[in-house]
Amino acid sequence: MVTTMDTALQEVLKPSDPTDRPKRMALVASKGGLDEVYPVLILASTAAAIGWEVGVFCTFYGLDIVNTKRNKKLKVSAVGNAASPPPMKSIEFRVPTILGILPGMNSVATWMMKSWMKKSKIPSFQEMMDLCLESGVNFYACATTLGVMSVKKEDVIPEASCLGATAFLDFAAGADVALFI
Amino acid sequence: MHIFDYVHTFILGFACMQGGSELTVDVHADKVLDCTGLLCPIPVVKTSKAIREIEIGQILEMIATDPGAPPDMEAWVRQTGHQMVAQTADNDQFRFWFRRTK
């Protein structure tokens, strides 16, 4: 009789099998260039599609992903990128880095990137964002960044919640995959 | 049932290696998803959506041209628990047949 009760109690107290829960991915998005946010959105949407729980912590320039005042105008930087592409794929000619400082070069680089993405049928930033939100990706706006960058809470997309590092680490501690992008 | 599927996949895989493009797969698909010309992550996202639109046990056929599709879809099967019944590679076109398991 006692044995039976013990067994029943053990059954209740047994820790839940970690393989039962969906896998979890914690991403830190720290950059706000158009080319730099795509890896975040691609990984997040893919993980959500295969049933993973995804949390994206948007910090410093990564906050632009969820900042409605800025996320429509994400740009590719023309400077500081040694891998900057040639203007035409057929010509092996790299734009001298110094030309990147000319006015409007960021817009040119952005336009080029967007046209290549369109040609290869990659969804736009907004489409990728919608895909992530529809599939249940959680976006977290870094509370410190809101303060440092003077971003108003109402400028952050309503789906994103405001977190500090501690709350994000608490989430990330249970993650199977954690990446800093 | 399962053993048959594995044997089936094996035979098809073997046939793919031997015959390549002449291979025709005789699997009845309940739904066909064409991801021709689409790159990662869209084929995986669309496949995940489409598999929920068929009944458990039914077959989804997916066509892709993304060169990353074969390893991606094998990983998708491992992660989602659905089953890959068959796959073929014909030049740059890949076709997959998935059975919804849950």
Side-chain angles (χ1 to χ4, degrees):
Chain A
M1 195 63 190
V2 173
T3 323
T4 325
M5 277 177 70
D6 278 351
T7 318
L9 193 64
Q10 273 170 7
E11 201 58 41
V12 173
L13 294 177
K14 199 176 72 179
S16 63
D17 183 358
T19 54
D20 279 354
R21 63 170 180 82
K23 284 192 180 156
R24 180 185 280 188
M25 178 164 80
L27 294 180
V28 179
S30 67
K31 295 183 177 77
L34 183 68
D35 52 324
E36 293 158 330
V37 303
Y38 263 86
V40 175
L41 299 179
I42 288 174
L43 288 174
S45 58
T46 307
I50 56 176
W52 291 17
E53 187 189 2
V54 185
V56 180
F57 188 63
C58 303
T59 184
F60 282 79
Y61 289 108
L63 188 71
D64 283 5
I65 295 173
V66 291
N67 185 346
T68 52
K69 284 255 168 78
R70 291 172 64 95
N71 67 6
K72 305 274 186 296
K73 301 175 275 193
L74 297 181
K75 284 197 155 51
V76 177
S77 175
V79 287
N81 182 3
S84 263
M88 268 171 278
K89 282 178 185 172
S90 51
I91 305 170
E92 260 310 309
F93 168 72
R94 281 175 189 265
V95 181
T97 312
I98 195 150
L99 293 183
I101 64 164
L102 293 175
M105 284 307 271
N106 280 358
S107 300
V108 171
T110 307
W111 173 81
M112 277 167 64
M113 180 65 79
K114 280 186 176 170
S115 70
W116 294 337
M117 282 176 170
K118 206 168 176 184
K119 221 165 83 186
S120 46
K121 294 185 190 169
I122 296 271
S124 70
F125 168 80
Q126 196 53 52
E127 286 166 337
M128 286 299 292
M129 201 63 190
D130 292 342
L131 202 62
C132 287
L133 292 170
E134 272 168 34
S135 52
V137 172
N138 298 303
F139 286 93
Y140 306 120
C142 167
T144 306
T145 310
L146 288 177
V148 172
M149 309 278 214
S150 304
V151 179
K152 290 197 204 86
K153 233 176 156 180
E154 52 266 31
D155 289 341
V156 172
I157 59 165
E159 293 88 352
S161 43
C162 180
L163 287 191
T166 318
F168 178 70
L169 285 178
D170 186 40
F171 170 85
D176 303 281
V177 176
L179 299 169
F180 182 93
I181 299 174
Chain B
M1 184 73 177
H2 276 84
I3 288 169
F4 170 75
D5 287 330
Y6 287 129
V7 170
H8 196 184
T9 310
F10 177 77
I11 291 170
L12 286 170
F14 189 69
C16 282
M17 287 192 293
Q18 301 296 310
S21 59
E22 296 108 76
L23 182 82
T24 50
V25 175
D26 185 26
V27 183
H28 165 73
D30 298 283
K31 190 181 172 74
V32 179
L33 174 67
D34 191 356
C35 293
T36 302
L38 300 176
L39 294 175
C40 162
I42 304 307
V44 165
V45 171
K46 286 197 165 189
T47 306
S48 299
K49 232 175 229 175
I51 201 91
R52 287 196 294 267
E53 288 161 10
I54 59 172
E55 302 294 321
I56 291 168
Q58 287 188 324
I59 303 282
L60 169 71
E61 179 182 347
M62 201 274 269
I63 305 160
T65 51
D66 177 6
D72 267 4
M73 296 324 294
E74 275 160 31
W76 179 82
V77 167
R78 274 196 298 277
Q79 288 297 329
T80 57
H82 297 297
Q83 195 182 12
M84 195 187 289
V85 182
Q87 63 168 310
T88 62
D90 182 1
N91 295 324
D92 293 333
Q93 193 191 56
F94 306 101
R95 294 170 78 192
F96 307 90
W97 286 264
F98 302 109
R99 176 178 283 119
R100 182 176 172 181
T101 56
K102 56 185 178 181

